[in-house]
Amino acid sequence: QIWAEMGFQVYLSREVETDEYNFGLLNIPPYHPARDEQDTFYTTDPQVLLRTHTSPGQIHVMRERHPAPIRVVLPGMCYRYEQVTARSEIQFNQMEGLAVGRHITFADLKGTLTSFARRLFGAQVATRFRAAHFPFTEPSAEMDIECFVCGGVGCTVCKGTGWLEVLGCGMVHPTVLRNGGYDPAHYSGFAFGMGPERLMML
């Protein structure tokens, strides 16, 4: 509902993907360490897999929707071969967000995500952005909210930092824009990914 009020449409993409869409077109070449971090469920065809994130939907929606602007959220189930614990599962939900258009900046990204956090967690919530690295965005960041248990002082919930990580984000990498059919000399965009289960717990 929040994203709809902010002008984003829901776009559903498939859970069974090709290696090209899940990795290659997202600037994750063979032998990239990101592939090791996302232990993948492959089918009997080594080029077909269960998606490890909702990011392949970025390529699908960019190729289907010309010209921009694009403003979508892509919710769905993802799969990774992990040990099942109280904190991790082999299948989980993600929600990707993507905006593509002319003159989109990192300020647009920060403003959009800060507005989302305030609508979800309350108008008083403090946010911060930390530098990060994702192959499909440049620059990349992670967004935190101030710990609502201790008010930012530091406690066991926030591991003494005063902050809770809520999502990863960044400006769409020029290579990914090209792979989606957009010329990065004329178009830019931002993307973000979050875990609904984690947001629900918070």
Side-chain angles (χ1 to χ4, degrees):
Q1 183 179 347
I2 291 171
W3 290 114
E5 290 171 357
M6 294 172 71
F8 285 75
Q9 298 176 315
V10 174
Y11 180 91
L12 299 177
S13 61
R14 58 196 188 201
E15 296 178 14
V16 178
E17 267 297 355
T18 63
D19 185 271
E20 180 184 31
Y21 272 84
N22 195 79
F23 294 120
L25 295 173
L26 293 170
N27 204 34
I28 309 174
Y31 313 112
H32 191 286
R35 291 180 181 246
D36 296 332
E37 295 166 6
Q38 301 179 13
D39 290 331
T40 307
F41 286 106
Y42 287 93
T43 66
T44 52
D45 180 343
Q47 295 303 312
V48 179
L49 50 88
L50 294 178
R51 66 180 177 190
T52 58
H53 47 184
T54 48
S55 301
Q58 289 186 33
I59 302 295
H60 287 295
V61 73
M62 280 194 285
R63 289 183 169 185
E64 288 175 19
R65 299 193 180 181
H66 275 276
I70 295 171
R71 230 181 328 196
V72 294
V73 288
L74 304 92
M77 189 70 73
C78 301
Y79 305 85
R80 295 184 190 173
Y81 185 65
E82 297 186 19
Q83 182 178 358
V84 177
T85 69
R87 299 176 66 90
S88 62
E89 247 290 3
I90 62 172
Q91 65 181 65
F92 54 93
N93 288 288
Q94 271 191 353
M95 190 178 72
E96 194 89 7
L98 176 69
V100 176
R102 295 183 185 270
H103 313 298
I104 291 178
T105 69
F106 200 87
D108 297 310
L109 168 64
K110 289 182 70 176
T112 300
L113 293 178
T114 299
S115 178
F116 167 75
R118 288 175 178 165
R119 289 173 185 233
L120 186 64
F121 296 110
Q124 76 294 338
V125 72
T127 59
R128 74 173 184 182
F129 289 79
R130 293 177 290 106
H133 171 73
F134 305 108
F136 30 84
T137 53
E138 179 59 38
S140 305
E142 290 179 340
M143 188 178 85
D144 302 332
I145 59 168
E146 187 176 61
C147 181
F148 50 80
V149 177
C150 65
V153 176
C155 66
T156 55
V157 172
C158 61
K159 300 178 183 175
T161 66
W163 297 92
L164 298 165
E165 180 190 334
V166 290
L167 57 86
C169 59
M171 298 301 291
V172 179
H173 196 288
T175 298
V176 176
L177 279 172
R178 279 192 209 94
N179 291 339
Y182 284 90
D183 183 351
H186 302 288
Y187 290 93
S188 57
F190 64 74
F192 54 86
M194 59 185 72
E197 289 95 342
R198 179 171 177 78
L199 292 181
M200 195 62 124
M201 287 189 289
L202 294 176

